[in-house]
Amino acid sequence: MESQIHKIHQQLVSKEITCMSLIQEKLNALKENTHNTVNSLLDKMALELAERVDAKIESGAAIGLLEGIPFGIKDVYMVQGTYTTASSQLLKNYKSAYTATAIQKLLDAGAIPLVKENCDSFGHGSSSENTIFGAVKNAINPNLVGGGSSGGSAVNVAKDYTVFSIGGDTGGSIRQPAGYNNVYGLKPTYGRISRFGLMAYASSTDCVGPIAKSIEDIRIVVNVMSGRDIKDQTTYESKIITDGSIAKNQVKTVGYFKNFIESDAINPEIKEDFLNTLETIKEKGIQVKALDFFDSDTLVSTYYTLAMAETASNLSRLDGTNYGNRIEGENLKDTYSITRSKNFSEETKRRIVGGNQVLSQGFSDEIYLKGLNLRDQIATNFENDFKEVDIILSPVTPNTPPIIGDSLKEPLAMYLSDAYTVGFSLGQLPTLTAPQGTSTGIQITAAKDNDEKVLQFANFLNDIL
C-alpha cells in the first residue's frame, strides 16, 4: 500500500482537505467504532492542534511531513494531562504528569494524537482481552481476538481510524496483533527508541514501535522516534534510514528455523504458506538455509521466567500509596493486599506471583539464573546465525487468531502462542511483521541495529508476494 503519510501531507499542502476536517472525521469514526479499541479520546487536544496546522498552511508557511497526521497511542504511554490507565482497574483514573520521550518527538514533529488505545492490562496478554474496557475485536473478523497486547493499536490502523499507532512490544505485542490484523508492525532493535514514559512490563525486552499500513510509514515514524535519550541509559544514537537505502534489496541469504516449521503445534495452512513463500524467494535467486534453534517450549519458558520476574519487580510500586485506586483495609499491610488483589487482573496477578516465585530464596538460583544463562545462549546462537545469513524469516504465530473468550480459559495456550516471537525479543533484535507470506503474516529479523535491512527485505517481499 502507498504511504498514507505522504498522501495526506500532499492533500493538506494542496488544500484539498483541511486538517480540522481530517481530524474530526477520524474522531467520529473512533467514537462510532464497535471493536473496543478506544480507552479515551484526545479530542480537545487533537482539534486544537489541527486548528494550528490549518492556520499555518493558510499563512503560507511550509509544514513538516508529519504535521497534521493523526495517530494513536497504546494506553501504556504517558501523555501529560491525559488518562494513562494501562487498561487496568488500578490506574483507571490516573493522569500522566509528563509525556513519554517517543511520543514527545512525534508531537514535536507535528503529528496529532487522537486516542489512547485498548490493550491487555499492563501488557499482560496476547489477545487484548485482559482489559477493563472489553475485549478488542479483530479488524477482519470481530468474533476473533484483536491480538495482544497492542490489539487496539493494530485494529485502529487496520480500520483506518488512525494513520499509524504506537504500540509496545515485550515478547511480540506489536508483531502478533499486526499479523492478526494484516498490517505492518515493527519491534526495533532494543535501545533504538527511548522507553522513558512507557509503563514497564519487562524492562530488558520492552520496545517502542510503530504499526502502519506501509513500510514507508513505518520508516518515517521510526526515524522520528529514534535516538539517544539521557532519561533512558539503554538508548543509543542510530543512523537515519533513508527511502533510498531500503529501495533495493541487498539480501543474498535467508535463514529459517526448521524446528518452528517441523513442530506439531503449527497450523498446517500456515506451514504450507510459509514453505511456499520460501520457494518463491528461492526462485528470485536468494539462497535459503535451514537453521537450528532452541525448541519452542524452551523459548517460552525462558521468556516468561524473566518477564514475570521483571514485572513483579516493576509493579511492586503500584500499591495505592502513590499511584492508583487505593482501597483501605484495617491496617497498612491489609490496605496493600486489598488494593492489589482487587485492582490487578487475574493475568497480572498470575505473572506477579510467578515472578516473585522465581526470584524467591531457594528458587532464584535454580530458575531465574538458569533463565539468564539460557538468554545468553540464545543471543550467542543469533550471533552465529547472522554470520551465515542476512535475514531470518519465520511465521509470526503458529496458529490463526482464536475466538474471543478461548484464550482466557487456557492461559498456557496463550503463552505458547508467543512461541515464534519471544526468541527475537530475548535477542533484542529488530523484527518486523509484514502482512504477507501466511494468513497471520511473516516475521523478518536481522542482526542488532540492522533495522534498515529488515525494511529493505520487507520492500522486496512486498514486490514478489
Side-chain angles (χ1 to χ4, degrees):
M1 176 177 279
E2 67 174 325
S3 166
Q4 294 297 295
I5 292 174
H6 283 291
K7 179 181 177 182
I8 292 171
H9 176 73
Q10 289 304 318
Q11 289 175 326
L12 289 170
V13 169
S14 65
K15 299 182 181 180
E16 183 181 335
I17 61 171
T18 66
C19 193
M20 282 288 282
S21 65
L22 169 67
I23 297 303
Q24 191 62 68
E25 177 189 336
K26 298 291 187 186
L27 287 171
N28 289 343
L30 283 163
K31 286 176 186 175
E32 295 165 6
N33 104 82
T34 57
H35 289 262
N36 289 340
T37 61
V38 177
N39 285 3
S40 59
L41 283 177
L42 309 180
D43 44 1
K44 184 180 178 183
M45 179 193 298
L47 291 170
E48 287 176 357
L49 292 172
E51 189 175 16
R52 291 182 203 171
V53 173
D54 282 338
K56 188 173 181 179
I57 293 170
E58 201 57 41
S59 72
I63 63 169
L65 187 56
L66 277 181
E67 281 193 74
I69 304 298
F71 74 104
I73 305 169
K74 182 179 180 180
D75 199 8
V76 290
Y77 288 96
M78 303 297 173
V79 179
Q80 188 174 24
T82 72
Y83 287 105
T84 303
T85 72
S87 294
S88 71
Q89 185 71 22
L90 186 69
L91 297 177
K92 66 179 181 180
N93 296 315
Y94 177 73
K95 280 193 173 181
S96 307
Y98 60 95
T99 299
T101 297
I103 305 303
Q104 188 61 56
K105 286 186 174 187
L106 292 169
L107 296 176
D108 292 344
I112 298 180
L114 300 181
V115 57
K116 287 294 195 68
E117 296 165 322
N118 200 358
C119 57
D120 285 300
S121 181
F122 294 106
H124 298 160
S126 305
S127 63
S128 291
E129 295 174 280
N130 298 299
T131 162
I132 63 169
F133 296 100
V136 174
K137 299 177 182 178
N138 190 283
I140 301 158
N141 181 348
N143 294 317
L144 306 179
V145 302
S149 61
S150 308
S153 303
V155 172
N156 278 342
V157 169
K159 300 293 289 184
D160 291 316
Y161 300 145
T162 61
V163 173
F164 66 90
S165 286
I166 304 306
D169 193 306
T170 305
S173 292
I174 286 174
R175 290 163 285 156
Q176 185 247 47
Y180 279 1
N181 294 282
N182 287 348
V183 291
Y184 288 96
L186 175 68
K187 183 197 84 65
T189 301
Y190 180 81
R192 184 184 181 96
I193 300 173
S194 172
R195 293 176 293 112
F196 179 77
L198 164 65
M199 286 190 191
Y201 165 16
S203 304
S204 67
T205 56
D206 285 343
C207 287
V208 178
I211 299 171
K213 279 192 166 181
S214 75
I215 301 159
E216 174 64 2
D217 289 349
I218 293 284
R219 182 191 71 83
I220 292 167
V221 175
V222 164
N223 279 338
V224 170
M225 293 193 296
S226 296
R228 187 182 295 277
D229 179 14
I230 60 171
K231 298 171 184 174
D232 178 358
Q233 295 302 308
T234 64
T235 55
Y236 64 93
E237 205 60 56
S238 55
K239 65 177 182 178
I240 293 291
I241 302 172
T242 66
D243 55 352
S245 68
I246 65 171
K248 188 175 181 182
N249 177 49
Q250 295 179 338
V251 171
K252 304 298 181 186
T253 309
V254 167
Y256 73 96
F257 296 131
K258 59 186 178 184
N259 58 307
F260 281 10
I261 306 308
E262 293 168 358
S263 168
D264 293 335
I266 191 170
N267 177 291
E269 290 184 14
I270 290 178
K271 177 178 179 177
E272 182 180 0
D273 289 344
F274 182 77
L275 291 174
N276 287 339
T277 297
L278 293 182
E279 288 303 317
T280 302
I281 291 168
K282 285 181 188 177
E283 290 169 5
K284 298 299 178 180
I286 293 175
Q287 182 184 358
V288 174
K289 185 170 185 176
L291 302 170
D292 293 317
F293 200 45
F294 295 81
D295 65 70
S296 298
D297 288 348
T298 299
L299 294 172
V300 171
S301 298
T302 302
Y303 169 75
Y304 277 103
T305 293
L306 301 179
M308 286 183 179
E310 291 184 37
T311 203
S313 175
N314 283 326
L315 293 188
S316 62
R317 75 194 78 175
L318 299 181
D319 55 19
T321 303
N322 294 309
Y323 310 103
N325 179 36
R326 183 183 178 96
I327 302 174
E328 295 291 344
E330 294 182 3
N331 51 53
L332 186 59
K333 184 177 180 181
D334 197 36
T335 296
Y336 288 164
S337 177
I338 296 171
T339 295
R340 288 167 67 84
S341 296
K342 298 292 185 184
N343 284 311
F344 281 137
S345 71
E346 291 304 307
E347 183 58 36
T348 294
K349 286 187 280 189
R350 187 179 293 118
R351 296 186 187 206
I352 290 172
V353 170
N356 284 326
Q357 175 79 0
V358 303
L359 290 173
S360 63
Q361 188 174 5
F363 288 95
S364 60
D365 287 357
E366 184 181 343
I367 303 174
Y368 181 66
L369 294 183
K370 186 176 180 180
L372 291 176
N373 179 262
L374 277 165
R375 179 182 187 144
D376 290 342
Q377 292 180 46
I378 289 166
T380 300
N381 199 109
F382 281 130
E383 288 177 10
N384 293 332
D385 285 342
F386 285 116
K387 291 174 183 176
E388 299 183 38
V389 300
D390 301 313
I391 286 287
I392 294 173
L393 288 184
S394 66
V396 181
T397 64
N399 287 294
T400 53
I403 295 169
I404 289 174
D406 286 358
S407 293
L408 298 179
K409 299 172 189 172
E410 296 185 67
L412 182 58
M414 179 184 68
Y415 299 157
L416 291 173
S417 72
D418 298 335
Y420 296 168
T421 55
V422 293
F424 304 117
S425 294
L426 292 168
Q428 302 185 335
L429 306 176
T431 307
L432 175 81
T433 287
Q436 292 114 10
T438 79
S439 61
T440 57
I442 200 163
Q443 205 169 192
I444 307 166
T445 305
K448 284 185 181 180
D449 202 25
N450 275 264
D451 306 60
E452 178 181 277
K453 189 175 289 186
V454 168
L455 298 184
Q456 183 187 100
F457 196 72
N459 259 329
F460 171 73
L461 287 184
N462 191 49
D463 290 339
I464 67 170
L465 294 180

